[in-house]
Amino acid sequence: MNLTHLHLVVNHLPVIGSALGVIVLIYGLWVRSEHTIIAAYYMFIMSSVGAAVTYLTGEDAEESVEHLSGITKAMIHEHEDAALFAYIFFILLGIISFAGVIIQYRKLKSARMISLITLFLAIFSFSVIARTA
């Protein structure tokens, strides 16, 4: 397996992981389950790692497809710009999710607020990554 294959395999993780994480987080907030909310945070952290791997292997994937018919430099450039934007938001999502885990375990008063902020950031991050994909 080369980096192009890794890019094509791992790029599904942030898309599917963030969508499932949103569903799990909404459910956790609805039933007020700390364990479910923490599970959603872990899904977002894993999605963020997947987004980082996908972004970092993108250059090698570009080299593999830039000479294929039907692929233009403009398409690749648009995808790169969208990928950078998604990468930034997924890094933020991973950081706030990590903070959310710590806050949730310490049972701080700000846990609910962090959960809601994470939910909105995750929904936005999903929309950005879906567009990129």
Side-chain angles (χ1 to χ4, degrees):
M1 178 185 286
N2 61 28
L3 292 177
T4 300
H5 291 118
L6 183 62
H7 180 82
L8 294 172
V9 169
V10 176
N11 70 18
H12 295 86
L13 184 59
V15 177
I16 296 169
S18 62
L20 290 175
V22 165
I23 294 167
V24 171
L25 184 55
I26 289 170
Y27 179 74
L29 288 167
W30 185 46
V31 299
R32 298 186 184 273
S33 168
E34 291 180 21
H35 295 292
T36 305
I37 292 169
I38 290 171
Y41 287 147
Y42 283 127
M43 292 177 82
F44 294 140
I45 292 168
M46 289 175 20
S47 296
S48 296
V49 170
V53 171
T54 301
Y55 181 76
L56 296 173
T57 58
E59 199 65 38
D60 291 301
E62 175 187 354
E63 291 175 14
S64 296
V65 300
E66 65 187 355
H67 301 295
L68 297 176
S69 64
I71 304 295
T72 65
K73 289 199 183 282
M75 289 171 58
I76 292 173
H77 183 69
E78 182 180 342
H79 182 69
E80 284 176 344
D81 289 345
L84 177 59
F85 193 63
Y87 175 62
I88 291 167
F89 277 95
F90 267 87
I91 295 301
L92 290 173
L93 180 61
I95 291 168
I96 197 165
S97 295
F98 184 74
V101 169
I102 293 168
I103 290 168
Q104 201 73 41
Y105 276 127
R106 291 186 179 173
K107 300 188 186 313
L108 300 177
K109 291 181 181 180
S110 59
R112 180 108 174 132
M113 180 58 70
I114 293 297
S115 297
L116 293 173
I117 291 169
T118 304
L119 176 61
F120 289 113
L121 181 59
I123 291 169
F124 183 76
S125 296
F126 169 74
S127 67
V128 170
I129 200 77
R131 180 193 176 281
T132 302

